[in-house]
Amino acid sequence: MMSFPVLLVISVAAGFVGAMSGMGGGVVLIPALTLVGMDIKHAIAVSIVSVIATSSGSASAYVKDHITNLKVGMFLEMFTILGALTGAAITVVSSRRPLFLLFGLVLLGTWLALFLQRNEHWTPVANVDRFSRWLDLRGSYYDQAQGQVITYEGARAWAGGPLMFIAGLIAGLLGIGAGALKVLIHDLVMGLPPKVSTTTSNLIIGVTALAGTSVYLAAGLIDPGLAAPVIIGVGAGAYLGTKLLVRLTNMAVRRFFLVVLLILGLEMLIRGIRG
Amino acid sequence: MSDANVTNAANPNPPAPPLTEEDLLRGHHPLETAVGYILQVGVLLSALLLAIGLTWRWFVTGHFAIEYSIHGVNLFQFVVQEVRLALAEAFRPRLFVNLGIAVLLLTPYIRVFASMILFAAVERNAKYTAFTAFVLAVLTYTLFLR
């Protein structure tokens, strides 16, 4: 049996990092839980439940601050939930080593993508395609760090949608929010400002995680006694992380995840290779 | 030229342009506020129920650990079962933990449901009502999985 205080401390730390990055708590939680001896499938299942708490908790604050773009969120959720169902169904029948390997690869891939674009500043998309215009993905928000109102319009939704299926697939498969990947699609493909990407990704993650959770619930992989302290811990950590995010600039946030992602990715990959 | 423009030209750091009415209304209220509150209430209620369950367990047994799994039920069966126990006043730590988890799982579900109603009734946006209805239909299907 896992020690309750250890479970709680791991969960608080995971929630904090997850909210800061918009990734959801799972990316830190799952490697940490497997390190203290939990089976990876159970860790994935517990994690995806806690991801609902983290993302919903953070999303509630962002949505009320009017940073989140609900239309972008609803459009992309159509794709992520189908991906999450597929992914979770694969994990239930998969063996364990590929899950470690895939987890490591996804983390390192995310790291590389974030690292390569770390100095890029957001520039609005010049030409918005007809489909995106039809979807009406405009928005505006007040940026506290810059002290001004930012207006923008989402573009290339025809590519963003299908790519979000893949993000949902990874989320369901590995029990994570896959927020970093979602943020990347928002930033690079759809041209949303970084804060809108992070917060809208948070909203999408909750629904995506629910789709994955229902598969794990049906498979009997969710243990409420373990899930309870993890949900509380991750939720508390996420609350603290959210309070900080609104005040920090984009660069500080990015630099922070880069280090965390690299360490965790390497660790999972090594364990997948060693078996 | 008005007085306001003169003041602006003299100021080396003019303030940000004021929000236009369009900026303020663009897809914002009341949809976002409602969604925000649903998420907040759901998460807080869930955390409260879980905390009560675990604390009660600790008072009774001296430790927090509760070990059991849920097998062969989908979420809706799970919710019905727990609500029935609660109505029968069969209170015990496990009931609170289970209710906490059920509330958490239903939070995004209710959020999507509320978004659909708001897109349909308040914004009168057929396109986004249809998108939201699709998401709701898929989620409903998955919650009946077993």
Side-chain angles (χ1 to χ4, degrees):
Chain A
M1 180 62 209
M2 202 148 297
S3 134
F4 187 89
V6 170
L7 209 55
L8 200 64
V9 168
I10 287 175
S11 306
V12 171
F16 184 77
V17 176
M20 291 286 299
S21 57
M23 294 185 296
V27 170
V28 182
L29 187 66
I30 295 167
L33 288 178
T34 56
L35 276 176
V36 296
M38 194 185 282
D39 166 55
I40 190 166
K41 284 191 190 183
H42 282 87
I44 286 173
V46 159
S47 162
I48 203 159
V49 181
S50 77
V51 166
I52 300 178
T54 353
S55 75
S56 302
S58 320
S60 74
Y62 300 136
V63 168
K64 283 192 286 183
D65 287 345
H66 307 310
I67 301 175
T68 310
N69 189 317
L70 279 184
K71 285 184 178 165
V72 171
M74 281 322 307
F75 172 69
L76 296 177
E77 276 169 16
M78 294 196 287
F79 298 89
T80 61
I81 53 172
L82 296 178
L85 286 174
T86 315
I90 293 171
T91 295
V92 168
V93 297
S94 163
S95 64
R96 281 158 177 84
R97 254 176 94 175
L99 295 176
F100 275 105
L101 282 173
L102 191 64
F103 207 109
L105 288 175
V106 164
L107 283 180
L108 290 183
T110 310
W111 181 84
L112 195 67
L114 286 175
F115 183 77
L116 289 177
Q117 59 135 30
R118 75 194 191 286
N119 288 321
E120 242 175 63
H121 286 278
W122 175 70
T123 42
V125 175
N127 293 307
V128 176
D129 54 285
R130 200 184 283 173
F131 180 59
S132 304
R133 188 137 284 169
W134 179 74
L135 289 172
D136 184 26
L137 304 176
R138 288 172 303 160
S140 62
Y141 70 99
Y142 177 74
D143 191 307
Q144 264 178 296
Q146 295 182 35
Q148 58 177 358
V149 174
I150 313 275
T151 48
Y152 61 90
E153 180 164 7
R156 291 190 285 268
W158 50 270
L163 284 170
M164 275 300 198
F165 174 84
I166 297 172
L169 184 79
I170 290 169
L173 199 63
L174 299 179
I176 59 179
L181 186 55
K182 288 175 178 132
V183 166
L184 208 63
I185 296 168
H186 290 165
D187 278 1
L188 298 183
V189 180
M190 301 187 66
L192 300 175
K195 246 168 217 159
V196 178
S197 317
T198 312
T199 57
T200 305
S201 143
N202 237 306
L203 186 78
I204 296 172
I205 286 168
V207 170
T208 310
L210 175 61
T213 296
S214 52
V215 175
Y216 290 112
L217 189 71
L221 283 169
I222 291 171
D223 177 343
L226 289 179
V230 172
I231 292 165
I232 291 177
V234 166
Y239 178 77
L240 296 173
T242 307
K243 290 281 143 196
L244 269 170
L245 175 68
V246 180
R247 264 178 269 137
L248 288 174
T249 61
N250 296 318
M251 286 311 291
V253 176
R254 282 208 197 285
R255 221 170 275 147
F256 180 69
F257 349 124
L258 284 175
V259 178
V260 175
L261 279 176
L262 181 63
I263 296 168
L264 291 176
L266 289 173
E267 188 258 337
M268 289 301 269
L269 207 55
I270 290 165
R271 290 170 70 196
I273 292 164
R274 283 188 181 164
Chain B
M1 191 180 264
S2 75
D3 281 357
N5 279 341
V6 173
T7 324
N8 248 346
N11 187 347
N13 287 317
L19 283 176
T20 63
E21 201 162 329
E22 196 196 358
D23 285 334
L24 286 170
L25 291 177
R26 194 175 287 158
H28 284 342
H29 322 274
L31 190 56
E32 298 189 347
T33 312
V35 165
Y37 278 112
I38 289 169
L39 293 173
Q40 193 173 38
V41 169
V43 169
L44 290 179
L45 180 62
S46 159
L48 182 71
L49 289 166
L50 293 174
I52 291 173
L54 291 177
T55 312
W56 187 355
R57 175 76 178 179
W58 180 72
F59 270 118
V60 175
T61 63
H63 56 87
F64 285 105
I66 310 179
E67 254 186 303
Y68 61 98
S69 310
I70 306 168
H71 276 290
V73 290
N74 62 47
L75 181 72
F76 289 127
Q77 289 170 318
F78 181 64
V79 171
V80 168
Q81 181 186 313
E82 297 309 318
V83 168
R84 203 171 281 160
L85 283 173
L87 290 177
E89 295 179 24
F91 293 117
R92 52 181 184 151
R94 250 175 90 156
L95 174 67
F96 282 94
V97 170
N98 286 349
L99 282 176
I101 288 172
V103 167
L104 182 66
L105 299 194
L106 287 175
T107 298
Y109 185 79
I110 292 168
R111 192 275 283 173
V112 174
F113 184 77
S115 308
M116 188 181 73
I117 301 295
L118 287 165
F119 273 127
V122 181
E123 300 227 325
R124 298 191 183 279
N125 185 331
K127 205 185 304 170
Y128 277 88
T129 306
F131 292 168
T132 316
F134 173 78
V135 171
L136 194 69
V138 174
L139 288 179
T140 308
Y141 166 74
T142 63
L143 290 175
F144 277 108
L145 279 180
R146 55 170 298 172

